[in-house]
Amino acid sequence: MRRPNRAPAPAAKDGPRINDDIRNAQIQLIDAAGDNKGTVETMLAIKMAQEAGMDLVEISPNTSPPVCKIMDYGKYKYSAQKKAAEARKRQKTVEIKEIKLRPMIDDHDYDVKMRAMLRFFEEGDKVKITLRYRGREMAHQEIGTKLLDKIKTDVAELAKVEQDARFEGRQVVMVLAPR
């Protein structure tokens, strides 16, 4: 049995339409110097762009008539690519660091955990505090609650509570975010 001949779908172009892709009969033209030339026939604008050794690029397609500019499209695309790369380089991904505690933590151990937490906040990361109860510690949950309240007051200037303490089985989880 013969299969129907199906041509692949044309690739969708990303970015603005240029030169012969512009279908409108008339456009609002801005020349290479940035001067508004008014409403011009598309074919005449394409000829003007070719004479200048540049491309006619559709800047604002949704207006009537669409706004087009005479520019070097390769240079325009290159600079847009550089801007996008620079924006990606500058953005910071927020990580969630985890601090694990026990209800009967000693003072020095608590201080060490607090120093680590403060360092995480300075780096701009969120901190997930996990307080785990073992064995008979479940009978004295008020000790763990007091410990979490102490942590909240100690980091009040640097961080805010993003997710308040909630039980998950034998552990309590709280998330703090830097201010």
Side-chain angles (χ1 to χ4, degrees), residues 79-106:
S79 65
Q81 195 176 20
K82 284 293 178 190
K83 279 183 195 170
E86 190 67 29
R88 275 195 306 274
K89 194 190 311 179
R90 284 207 184 110
Q91 77 182 12
K92 180 173 185 335
T93 55
V94 176
E95 292 182 34
I96 297 181
K97 305 284 188 167
E98 186 173 15
I99 300 274
K100 292 185 179 179
L101 301 170
R102 298 277 314 284
M104 300 301 291
I105 190 168
D106 199 35

Side-chain angles (χ1 to χ4, degrees), residues 14-77:
D14 60 330
R17 292 187 288 199
I18 60 169
N19 297 335
D20 294 327
D21 294 339
I22 301 169
R23 297 277 173 237
N24 300 65
Q26 292 189 331
I27 57 162
Q28 183 79 20
L29 181 67
I30 299 171
D31 67 0
D35 300 327
N36 190 345
K37 295 293 184 183
T39 305
V40 179
E41 302 244 345
T42 306
M43 298 314 270
L44 179 65
I46 291 172
K47 280 187 184 146
M48 290 169 67
Q50 287 173 345
E51 287 170 6
M54 297 186 182
D55 301 302
L56 183 67
V57 181
E58 192 173 42
I59 301 297
S60 179
N62 299 329
T63 58
S64 180
V67 179
C68 297
K69 185 174 182 179
I70 295 175
M71 66 169 75
D72 186 353
Y73 183 66
K75 194 180 287 185
Y76 167 75
K77 203 163 181 181

Side-chain angles (χ1 to χ4, degrees), residues 90-137:
R90 284 207 184 110
Q91 77 182 12
K92 180 173 185 335
T93 55
V94 176
E95 292 182 34
I96 297 181
K97 305 284 188 167
E98 186 173 15
I99 300 274
K100 292 185 179 179
L101 301 170
R102 298 277 314 284
M104 300 301 291
I105 190 168
D106 199 35
D107 292 338
H108 180 263
D109 295 336
Y110 175 81
D111 293 339
V112 170
K113 299 279 186 181
M114 287 305 293
R115 278 199 301 271
M117 209 179 304
L118 297 177
R119 190 181 75 239
F120 294 151
F121 290 136
E122 287 170 5
E123 292 170 3
D125 296 326
K126 294 180 182 181
V127 176
K128 175 181 174 183
I129 298 168
T130 306
L131 179 71
R132 175 162 289 174
Y133 294 101
R134 281 216 209 118
R136 292 190 200 136
E137 291 173 345

Side-chain angles (χ1 to χ4, degrees), residues 107-173:
D107 292 338
H108 180 263
D109 295 336
Y110 175 81
D111 293 339
V112 170
K113 299 279 186 181
M114 287 305 293
R115 278 199 301 271
M117 209 179 304
L118 297 177
R119 190 181 75 239
F120 294 151
F121 290 136
E122 287 170 5
E123 292 170 3
D125 296 326
K126 294 180 182 181
V127 176
K128 175 181 174 183
I129 298 168
T130 306
L131 179 71
R132 175 162 289 174
Y133 294 101
R134 281 216 209 118
R136 292 190 200 136
E137 291 173 345
M138 284 297 285
H140 299 286
Q141 293 176 5
E142 71 277 357
I143 297 171
T145 307
K146 285 180 188 172
L147 178 63
L148 289 174
D149 290 339
K150 183 180 177 188
I151 290 172
K152 283 182 199 176
T153 56
D154 287 352
V155 298
E157 311 90 51
L158 292 172
K160 60 182 182 282
V161 178
E162 187 170 275
Q163 177 187 319
D164 212 9
R166 73 168 203 273
F167 260 93
E168 293 179 358
R170 286 190 155 269
Q171 62 187 22
V172 180
V173 176

